[in-house]
Amino acid sequence: MSEERGRARDFGIPLTGEPGEWNAITDVPGVQVGYVTLVEGDDVRTGVTALLPRGRDGVGTPCAAGWHSMNGNGEMTGTAWLEESGSLAVPVLVTNTYAVGPVHRGVVEWVRRHRRDMAPEWLLPVVTETWDGYLHDIHGAHVTPAHAGAAIDAAAGGPVAEGNVGGGTGMRLYGFKGGSGTASRVVRYGAEKYTVGVFVQANFGARRELVVAGTPLGRAAASYDNREGAESGGSPGGPDSGSPAGGERPEGGGSPVDRTGAAGGAGAAGFGGSVDPERPVPPGAGSVIVVVATDAPLLPGQCKALARRVPLGLARTGTTGSHFSGDLFLAFSTANPGALTSTFPPRPAAGGEAGGAGDDAPYETLRFIPWGRVDPFHTAVVEAVEEAVLNVLTAAAPMTGRDGHHVPAFPLAALAGLPRARTD
């Protein structure tokens, strides 16, 4: 029997903090999210997500920005320039690992078509990824530059779809179906009210690690999964169930493996057989991308500080961080439009020095919250990241993909005994 999926709060999961209207990154004014979801035949389970800090009309207008890598087993293009300039003026796109190239090209082509004033100077797109090769034919050329442009064109404000959509289509989370998720928090600062919103592409975590609202649920959820025959075609036993049947099964399905790591046990390739030539994916491998947005006026270094708080929110859901997971985070502030520009200076007057200031000597100003007052924004990041991850778990539906690989959805019945004591 299929379960009706939804968001974490729909199922009574107790969470701290005050969400915005949509409880999404789009609660930050101007931020838009667009998806292209590719589910074709038996083997294509992927897509592209576009996040526009100032909407399509604001492409080219910089935001203060910073980034952080918790574990560098992944890719986020454009970070050298982010680090150098502290600014972000382009859409952020998220896809699968091997689609970074075509998506990067797609951003360049979109800007060339729609912002010809910006394209002639230089363009360093920000494209990042997680690995969906278990469910998706990741080696195939299924994502094209046109898909990147379509995701940008589809971007909108308001409610944001979660689960098996966009770049998150083929992802796994804590051994269950993963994908795209979002959440937000309202932060009051004097007479002002600001919003911190986050977006996650979640493809990380070992099932045994999963924690929901402070309660370890990974093993309990695995027992529901095995009882209902959802994992790996119905065979009982799993890496976290405590009752392996024959060999252990990789989280989210796959071929049994013995403790030497050979797929299919003693009959696998390398041991005289060819049951399954693929090596099992270690529990916790995968990657997670988090984008943090706020309309609070912050310096680039303060945005970087927000990005550094993302791991604290992830840790609330149980992960300890795998060597095989690329965990990359970006934060930006939409305040101070017109600051942090980086365009070519005008042509020098006759006899003037190229690139010299001459009569054109502008200044720019940043208004920002003092460093000693930013802790509530750190808290907002941690709370929103935790909720966004849980929203992925509760929203994502089960999926079967490449070579019949199946990933079950998180069993909502496992939430039945969750304490409701965590309140504001």
Side-chain angles (χ1 to χ4, degrees):
M1 180 181 297
S2 62
E3 298 173 299
E4 183 177 351
R5 313 303 291 181
R7 309 193 78 191
R9 290 174 185 259
D10 297 337
F11 302 104
I13 297 176
L15 295 158
T16 56
E18 178 188 354
E21 179 181 4
W22 306 113
N23 197 9
I25 194 170
T26 49
D27 287 323
V28 178
V31 175
Q32 297 179 339
V33 177
Y35 293 127
V36 167
T37 300
L38 301 175
V39 177
E40 301 168 357
D42 295 330
D43 296 335
V44 178
R45 304 288 187 272
T46 195
V48 181
T49 300
L51 298 111
L52 281 61
R54 301 186 187 277
R56 278 180 295 278
D57 292 341
V59 172
T61 301
C63 296
W67 78 290
H68 175 65
S69 169
M70 183 175 82
N71 195 63
N73 197 346
E75 181 63 87
M76 179 181 286
T77 69
T79 52
W81 180 241
L82 278 171
E83 193 73 22
E84 179 73 20
S85 66
S87 70
L88 171 72
V90 293
V92 178
L93 278 85
V94 197
T95 187
N96 78 64
T97 305
Y98 295 172
V100 169
V103 170
H104 191 280
R105 182 63 204 173
V107 177
V108 173
E109 292 178 357
W110 188 93
V111 172
R112 186 170 177 233
R113 285 195 307 272
H114 297 279
R115 286 298 312 274
R116 295 192 65 84
D117 59 321
M118 182 181 175
E121 297 196 0
W122 81 96
L123 184 61
L124 296 168
V126 176
V127 181
T128 187
E129 50 76 30
T130 60
W131 187 85
D132 59 9
Y134 183 74
L135 286 170
H136 171 59
D137 173 27
I138 196 168
H139 294 277
H142 305 291
V143 177
T144 69
H147 291 130
I152 296 172
D153 287 335
V160 176
E162 294 172 302
N164 304 347
V165 290
T169 298
M171 304 304 168
R172 300 186 291 171
L173 175 62
Y174 287 115
F176 299 105
K177 188 62 189 69
S180 304
T182 188
S184 69
R185 290 296 182 271
V186 173
V187 180
R188 287 172 171 77
Y189 181 75
E192 303 293 333
K193 185 170 73 172
Y194 296 111
T195 302
V196 173
V198 306
F199 180 90
V200 303
Q201 183 162 298
N203 189 52
F204 69 96
R207 185 173 297 181
R208 64 182 178 274
E209 296 177 321
L210 176 61
V211 173
V212 177
T215 300
L217 283 188
R219 296 181 188 275
S223 70
Y224 276 97
D225 184 35
N226 292 323
R227 192 181 313 153
E228 296 168 7
E231 184 178 12
S232 303
S235 298
D240 295 310
S241 68
S243 57
E248 294 179 351
R249 289 188 178 274
E251 295 182 356
S255 299
V257 294
D258 67 11
R259 295 192 181 276
T260 67
F271 292 84
S274 57
V275 175
D276 186 346
E278 295 185 38
R279 283 184 148 186
V281 178
S287 295
V288 56
I289 301 301
V290 181
V291 177
V292 180
T294 185
D295 57 346
L298 299 179
L299 295 169
Q302 293 172 322
C303 292
K304 191 177 188 71
L306 295 191
R308 287 200 302 264
R309 267 59 184 190
V310 167
L312 301 177
L314 298 176
R316 284 190 174 193
T317 67
T319 183
T320 54
S322 169
H323 167 74
F324 298 103
S325 183
D327 308 327
L328 305 175
F329 319 124
L330 170 67
F332 62 82
S333 165
T334 61
N336 296 299
L340 296 170
T341 61
S342 184
T343 56
F344 291 164
R347 293 179 181 274
E353 180 181 351
D359 293 331
D360 181 68
Y363 293 92
E364 293 179 348
T365 301
L366 281 173
R367 177 175 176 260
F368 62 95
I369 291 172
W371 274 100
R373 301 293 187 272
V374 297
D375 277 355
F377 298 92
H378 296 165
T379 301
V381 170
V382 175
E383 292 177 341
V385 167
E386 176 190 20
E387 183 166 1
V389 172
L390 297 179
N391 282 339
V392 176
L393 272 181
T394 57
M399 179 174 282
T400 301
R402 180 181 66 84
D403 295 335
H405 289 175
H406 178 76
V407 179
F410 172 76
L412 299 174
L415 299 173
L418 195 68
R420 300 299 198 268
R422 237 181 110 202
T423 58
D424 290 334

